[in-house]
Every structure is written in structure tokens, then in C-alpha cells.
Amino acid sequence: MPNRYVKLAGVDRKLDLTEPDLGVAGGAVLLERLLADRRLPVAVRGLTCAEICERLGYREPMYLYRRMGRVVASHTRSDAQDRHHGGGESDEHKAYKERAVRAAEEGGHHATAERASGDRKVRSDVLIRGANGVLLGFESQLSPVNPREIAARDAAARRAGLVDAWQTDSRALAEALVVPWLRTDKLPFELIVRRDSPLPFRGGVRRIDLVRCDERFPGSCPRKRTGKCRGWHPTTRPTEVAFDPFIRDAASGLYVRATVKVKRTAFEFWTPAADYAAYRDATAGEPLPSVAYPRQAKSVMGDGDPTCRVRTPAVDEARDVPLADIPAARAPHPMPTDTAAPPTLYRGECGAGVTKCGAPARFYACGWRCDSHRPGAVGGAL
């Protein structure tokens, strides 16, 4: 459900982001002012969330920007966005997370739902600490999503030392081959939570067979393109694995994500670790294959696209981010009972002088300045 309303200090009505005038008199001018407001920190501009955050008793600052011609309200804190994400989860999505936690814990592993990495760039539906240092992320994706977003999230997890297992019940989403999707049948909540329901994966898991390239090998050698090389070449075949055993075995390192090149095509899937080890031994002299995923077009915002989001910072491609710590959830900030305007916040350090002042400061056009060095202050050094 889209986030539609925000509040502004001094305006007694909610602002409707779907209206060009925000649903208030003089709203068109007000909208342009809010879009262009860069003078003060977001926390003191007076714009706050009027959706799930307000209903749960939180006062969360927001700011506006345009995306594809549409006005978008953005939070400044990821846990505020998570509040919206959690509020829109289906019962089936929650059931898959609960079952993944239960399966991992019954296998002797530590599992936690909705935990983030120390830098807040990776947040898994379920994070599992397995055997021998295995960090497994379980991600359940049941609603439509841009495949580019999935690819970006998966790449961020890899940089953090995490291996993601992506589950979906959507055939259309599974056909977008940006990750090795573990596809399940569409099942109601009652069957997902039942212990005696096997929940087999219909796709995403394959076995690797090695075939000797000799006179019995059909066709020409895929490596030499002619004749026979007397070596070993891989073939793959699909196999079904039940949900619970897969979670336990993947956390134990018995299943791995593998990229295998069969003839001229490389693709990625989950496979038993023993199969992949045999394949790597047979192709020890060859470079690791890479998957050429089809380029995904950027999706156009639709009526169901959420307008309440966090603009995540760009990830440094050249820096690996270790997932060394899983911090506790940040303490909530309840909405105050009074309706007074928020106090001035000092978010930076004063940079005045040859040697920086370093006092708590606000941001001005000339940079971060404390009260003594702010523009117009008597005796202030600018």
C-alpha cells in the first residue's frame, strides 16, 4: 500500500502526496518549496510521516523528492522504513520466515529474523549463523519486485560475506534469472506453518553429473569444439528438496550456490557441496565461469509502488564489508505528547578557523557553524 500522507508543522491538515496541490490551499507553491528545501537538516524541517509511523506512536522526519515525475516521501532512518515494510508483510511471508527460523534452530544453528549488518546495508528476512562460519540469509519474496533491486540486494549481501537463499512462489519472478530462485508452490498460511507439510522446492536446486568425453560422449567436445578431449564435462539435472532439510543443510555447508558452465552456457543454482567439489576438481585448470544475466529494464512507478522509502547510499564496489557484528535493534523514539515545533538540532561540528572549532554546529550555506561562528554573529569568524 502506498504511503500517501505526510504532516507539516504549522499546517493543520495532512498533505496528500498524490495531489498536485497536496490537497491544501496554496499547496502547489508549498510543494515546490518542500522539494527545494536544503537549508536545514531534515529533522528540523517540520515534515513528518503521517502513516504507519504516526499510528504506532513515532514522530519520524521525512523529506520529499521526485522520482520518475512522482513525488516521493523518504525517511532518514532505515528502521523507520522497516516499520513500513513490516506493516505490509503478508501472513504467508511471515510464515516462511518463522519456518526458516524454526528449521535452522532445530538443526542446531542460530537464526534471527529481520536483523541487519553493522553498516545497515544488508538486512535479511532471516539471518542464520551456521557451521564452520557459514552466514546464510533467507529471503522470501512473494510480491512483484523489480529484478534489478533483487540483484542489487544479492550483490550487497555477497560483499558483506553473506550467502542469500531466495525463495518465491511466483513463476514469473522465478523466470527473471537474476538469482537462483528456490521456487515453491503457492500455499496458504495454514500449510506453510504445518510441520508435516514438506514444502518442496520445485526449482533452484540441481545435481551435477560428470560425463567422460570419449567415444560414448554425444557430439563434439564442448571445450575443443571438435574431437574428444578424454576429460570430464558437467551436465545438470533438477532435483526436489524439502524446505526444512535444505535450510539445515545449507547452514551446515552441505548445499552451496554454484555457477556451472554446461557447453556454452553458464548458470547459477544450489547444489550439494560434494557435487560442486567434484566439478571444481574436474575443471581445475579452467577459469571460473560467470553468468551473463539479461539486462533488466528499470520499472516505471505504478499505483502500488510505495512512496515511503529510504534512499540508500551508494555502495563502494571496491570495499568488502565484513559482517562481523549483528547489533541489537535501535531503541525507538516515541512521538512526544506536546505539539510544539521540534527543537533546533546540532548535527555536525563547527569548521570555522584554521584549526577547526569542533563545537556542535548547524549547517549553513557557508558550512557547519556553531552559534559563535554562525553567519551574522557578532565577532564570529566565518
Side-chain angles (χ1 to χ4, degrees):
M1 175 180 178
N3 178 267
R4 180 175 178 177
Y5 296 104
V6 293
K7 276 188 173 180
L8 181 64
V11 179
D12 57 357
R13 294 182 56 186
K14 293 182 179 181
L15 306 182
D16 188 346
L17 299 181
T18 63
E19 298 291 338
D21 60 354
L22 301 178
V24 297
V29 177
L30 176 62
L31 175 60
E32 295 305 318
R33 180 176 69 82
L34 292 173
L35 289 169
D37 192 357
R38 298 291 187 272
R39 296 168 297 171
L40 296 175
V42 174
V44 298
R45 295 179 190 175
L47 195 68
T48 57
C49 179
E51 289 284 349
I52 293 175
C53 294
E54 184 183 55
R55 290 199 297 270
L56 296 179
Y58 294 87
R59 190 178 193 279
E60 291 291 349
M62 304 191 79
Y63 64 98
L64 302 184
Y65 67 98
R66 290 190 186 275
R67 178 173 179 261
M68 300 182 185
R70 188 172 178 181
V71 178
V72 179
S74 177
H75 282 294
T76 58
R77 302 192 312 150
S78 57
D79 50 353
Q81 168 67 5
D82 295 338
R83 200 174 296 130
H84 285 256
H85 175 71
E89 286 185 353
S90 65
D91 291 339
E92 290 77 16
H93 186 270
K94 295 176 183 177
Y96 276 117
K97 293 196 302 182
E98 293 172 3
R99 180 148 182 170
V101 171
R102 185 182 69 198
E105 290 179 343
E106 290 178 350
H109 309 297
H110 180 270
T112 311
E114 296 294 346
R115 276 299 178 89
S117 59
D119 58 3
R120 308 292 295 179
K121 292 181 181 178
V122 180
R123 186 182 185 91
S124 302
D125 283 344
V126 178
L127 181 60
I128 303 171
R129 289 187 177 274
N132 301 320
V134 173
L135 284 174
L136 177 68
F138 173 77
E139 299 282 357
S140 179
Q141 186 66 47
L142 307 181
S143 58
V145 66
N146 189 344
R148 291 177 62 182
E149 178 182 339
I150 298 297
R153 289 165 56 187
D154 188 69
R158 285 180 180 269
R159 285 189 292 268
L162 186 68
V163 180
D164 273 347
W166 292 88
Q167 174 268 331
T168 186
D169 61 4
S170 168
R171 183 179 294 273
L173 192 58
E175 290 175 353
L177 302 176
V178 292
V179 292
W181 290 103
L182 299 165
R183 187 174 59 83
T184 57
D185 298 325
K186 285 187 177 292
L187 298 173
F189 170 83
E190 294 77 12
L191 285 180
I192 299 173
V193 298
R194 279 178 52 180
R195 286 182 174 271
D196 60 347
S197 177
L199 290 184
F201 289 129
R202 307 296 188 184
V205 185
R206 302 181 74 89
R207 298 296 305 269
I208 303 175
D209 297 320
L210 295 174
V211 182
R212 171 75 75 174
C213 184
D214 54 18
E215 292 74 11
R216 293 170 294 181
F217 185 80
S220 59
C221 173
R223 186 181 304 160
K224 296 171 56 178
R225 308 289 187 235
T226 182
K228 310 294 181 182
C229 70
R230 312 295 299 179
W232 295 90
H233 301 308
T235 61
T236 67
R237 52 188 169 88
T239 184
E240 289 189 0
V241 182
F243 186 99
D244 293 5
F246 175 85
I247 294 295
R248 291 193 292 266
D249 291 346
S252 299
L254 300 179
Y255 277 92
V256 295
R257 275 178 64 165
T259 302
V260 176
K261 186 174 183 179
V262 179
K263 295 185 178 180
R264 300 185 182 184
T265 304
F267 55 102
E268 191 177 16
F269 51 86
W270 286 89
T271 191
D275 286 13
Y276 189 56
Y279 164 73
R280 293 301 304 146
D281 288 342
T283 58
E286 301 178 14
L288 289 174
S290 59
V291 181
Y293 292 118
R295 181 176 178 84
Q296 302 292 335
K298 194 171 185 179
S299 63
V300 179
M301 292 186 73
D303 292 337
D305 201 21
T307 60
C308 177
R309 60 182 66 215
V310 172
R311 301 186 82 178
T312 54
V315 178
D316 187 354
E317 296 287 348
R319 182 182 302 170
D320 290 331
V321 184
L323 193 65
D325 180 53
I326 304 176
R330 185 181 298 179
H333 298 277
M335 183 171 61
T337 54
D338 60 328
T339 58
T344 300
L345 298 182
Y346 298 88
R347 303 288 296 275
E349 295 182 356
C350 181
V354 177
T355 302
K356 291 184 179 181
C357 170
R362 293 170 53 188
F363 186 76
Y364 296 91
C366 59
W368 292 96
R369 295 292 184 267
C370 64
D371 289 342
S372 300
H373 297 100
R374 63 180 174 81
V378 178
L382 300 180

